[in-house]
């Protein structure tokens, strides 16, 4: 049972709630592999608003709803009246009359917050410029599968842009006791407010949160190396400039050598080989990275079951 109506940020969850999502995700994954259906969301409909592109998020939410006995509606802002200026607060109240839950991928984080404020139904953040909680929860599940149930004391090193992924991973690590290090170029460090919040969360679990520009020190003895694109969706115009600035902030064989011998490499995908990660490292760690992509399905099924299911609903 989750104490919040929505899933907007991992910072809003307690450590117990994070663990509850992960254990239900593991249970649903085991059931799906055994061919057992679990129609927790029979008769329910999820609306999916996308203002940015998606492969994994769209397909895993849509398939996840189907597997749980419900249905999903793809709503592009090109077709919705929201794209022609209908206020968020009206759209949220109208869609609450038809749907049982809504998933939103958009630019400004406060749009999702405003939507959730006016909606009577659960709202799931499927990526904003600030956060990507569904991906970071998925990453915890993947780490548990490869490193064991106890996450406390592991070291995750995130290399690249201090972006939505860096922020949500920082929260995910803080909540579960993973020591988190972000190595970014100067001026591309994570958001200061997120850092302050994450440090407060970390104080409760004993995790450490470090931000540095020194990739070599950051990578040393890491249990998990993580990276994401240098230019996120919405930053396409900065791509050339960023490619120069981010040189050196790449997961390659030399960086991998600094990490623990059994280190995992994760990437939320889509990947730009030759930029934030080399083809050689990605292919060597393809099993972990594609397990990670698969786990979006199981983790989001757990999130939807906990937020939208009658059995689990608070
Ligand atoms: N990782 C992720 O969210 O992928 P998509 O952009 O394809 O949904
Ligand atoms: N930081 C990336 C993540 C994509 C899943 C972006 O926002 O484009």
């Amino acid at each position: 049972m989750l104490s919040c109506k929505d899933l907007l940020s991992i910072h809003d969850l307690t450590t117990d709630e994070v663990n509850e999502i992960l254990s239900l995700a593991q249970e649903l994954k085991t059931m799906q592999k055994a061919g057992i259906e679990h129609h927790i969301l029979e008769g329910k409909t999820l609306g999916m608003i996308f203002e940015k592109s998606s492969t994994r998020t769209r397909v895993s939410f849509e398939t996840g709803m189907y597997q749980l006995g419900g249905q999903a509606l793809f709503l592009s802002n090109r077709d919705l009246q929201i794209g022609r200026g209908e206020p968020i607060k009206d759209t949220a109240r109208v869609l609450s009359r038809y749907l049982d839950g809504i998933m939103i991928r958009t630019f400004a984080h406060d749009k999702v917050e405003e939507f959730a404020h006016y909606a009577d139904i659960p709202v799931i953040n499927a990526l904003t410029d600030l956060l990507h909680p569904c991906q970071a929860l998925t990453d915890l599940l993947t780490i548990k599968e490869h490193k064991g149930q106890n996450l406390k004391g592991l070291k995750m090193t995130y290399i690249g842009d201090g972006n939505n992924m860096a922020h949500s991973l920082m929260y995910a690590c803080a909540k579960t006791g993973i020591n988190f290090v972000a190595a970014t170029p100067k001026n591309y460090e994570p958001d200061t407010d997120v850092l302050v919040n994450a440090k407060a969360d970390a104080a409760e679990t004993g995790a450490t949160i470090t931000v540095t520009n020194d990739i070599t020190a950051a990578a040393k003895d890491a249990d998990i190396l993580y990276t994401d694109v240098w230019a996120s969706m919405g930053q396409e115009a900065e791509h050339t400039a960023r490619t120069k600035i981010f040189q050196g902030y790449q997961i390659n064989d030399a960086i991998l050598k600094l990490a623990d011998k059994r280190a995992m490499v994760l990437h939320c995908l889509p990947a730009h080989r030759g930029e934030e990660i080399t083809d050689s490292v990605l292919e060597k760690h393809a099993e972990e990275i594609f397990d990670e992509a698969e786990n979006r399905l199981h983790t989001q099924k757990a999130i939807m079951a906990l937020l939208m299911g009658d059995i689990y609903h608070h």
Side-chain angles (χ1 to χ4, degrees):
M1 204 143 79
L2 304 183
S3 55
C4 38
K5 172 177 83 70
D6 312 296
L7 179 66
L8 305 188
S9 167
I10 295 173
H11 179 57
D12 301 333
L13 301 171
T14 64
T15 297
D16 284 348
E17 288 173 334
V18 170
N19 287 327
E20 189 178 354
I21 293 169
L22 299 179
S23 54
L24 181 58
Q26 264 162 345
E27 199 184 309
L28 290 170
K29 182 170 183 176
T30 307
M31 288 171 71
Q32 193 223 11
K33 301 281 177 201
I36 303 164
E37 291 182 2
H38 199 339
H39 286 172
I40 309 167
L41 298 182
E42 190 158 6
K44 309 251 179 191
T45 305
L46 176 80
M48 308 191 301
I49 299 182
F50 281 94
E51 297 194 340
K52 291 177 174 173
S53 307
S54 170
T55 295
R56 280 144 288 271
T57 306
R58 178 182 175 180
V59 178
S60 55
F61 266 108
E62 196 162 330
T63 308
M65 264 316 270
Y66 174 75
Q67 291 180 2
L68 292 174
Q71 63 164 349
L73 287 181
F74 176 73
L75 303 166
S76 155
N77 76 318
R78 276 194 298 276
D79 308 320
L80 290 172
Q81 296 287 9
I82 214 169
R84 297 177 58 246
E86 183 168 15
I88 289 171
K89 60 183 180 183
D90 292 356
T91 308
R93 283 177 287 186
V94 170
L95 292 181
S96 295
R97 303 288 178 110
Y98 307 135
L99 301 169
D100 302 287
I102 193 130
M103 181 237 82
I104 309 178
R105 167 168 286 197
T106 189
F107 294 86
H109 188 72
D110 54 12
K111 263 195 181 177
V112 176
E113 286 181 336
E114 186 184 354
F115 205 105
H117 177 76
Y118 284 99
D120 299 323
I121 54 175
V123 174
I124 301 170
N125 175 1
L127 184 146
T128 63
D129 290 344
L130 189 71
L131 298 171
H132 195 4
C134 295
Q135 180 69 55
L137 288 165
T138 297
D139 300 332
L140 292 177
L141 175 65
T142 314
I143 295 166
K144 277 188 177 225
E145 287 176 345
H146 288 264
K147 292 274 173 206
Q149 292 296 323
N150 185 17
L151 299 177
K152 259 193 197 278
L154 291 173
K155 175 179 176 181
M156 177 190 287
T157 298
Y158 173 91
I159 292 168
D161 187 22
N163 62 11
N164 46 10
M165 268 327 307
H167 297 153
S168 281
L169 289 167
M170 198 188 278
Y171 282 146
C173 290
K175 290 283 179 187
T176 55
I178 299 176
N179 298 320
F180 179 83
V181 184
T184 74
K186 216 169 166 20
N187 301 323
Y188 291 85
E189 291 90 355
D191 179 83
T192 317
D193 291 342
V194 174
L195 186 62
V196 169
N197 289 339
K199 282 195 170 168
D201 289 345
E204 311 238 323
T205 60
T208 57
I209 309 285
T210 312
V211 175
T212 177
N213 307 123
D214 183 348
I215 175 173
T216 309
K220 200 168 175 326
D221 301 326
D223 298 295
I224 305 119
L225 289 175
Y226 200 114
T227 191
D228 182 20
V229 291
W230 289 341
S232 286
M233 289 181 276
Q235 297 171 333
E236 288 77 7
E238 295 174 41
H239 186 259
T240 311
R242 281 175 172 259
T243 304
K244 286 199 191 94
I245 294 163
F246 280 80
Q247 286 303 319
Y249 289 87
Q250 179 191 62
I251 302 187
N252 51 35
D253 286 304
I255 290 297
L256 193 55
K257 270 211 185 84
L258 300 171
D260 184 78
K261 277 199 303 293
R262 290 145 304 165
M264 296 176 72
V265 176
L266 294 177
H267 191 310
C268 56
L269 302 177
H272 290 66
R273 288 167 167 82
E275 294 187 15
E276 75 278 2
I277 193 164
T278 57
D279 181 65
S280 151
V281 172
L282 198 154
E283 292 304 333
K284 241 183 265 169
H285 288 269
E287 197 174 320
E288 292 151 9
I289 292 169
F290 293 106
D291 278 354
E292 179 187 13
E294 175 188 331
N295 284 338
R296 290 294 299 279
L297 172 71
H298 310 297
T299 309
Q300 287 157 195
K301 281 169 74 177
I303 293 167
M304 291 191 289
L306 289 167
L307 290 178
M308 295 164 63
D310 297 326
I311 318 169
Y312 299 101
H313 209 289
H314 43 87

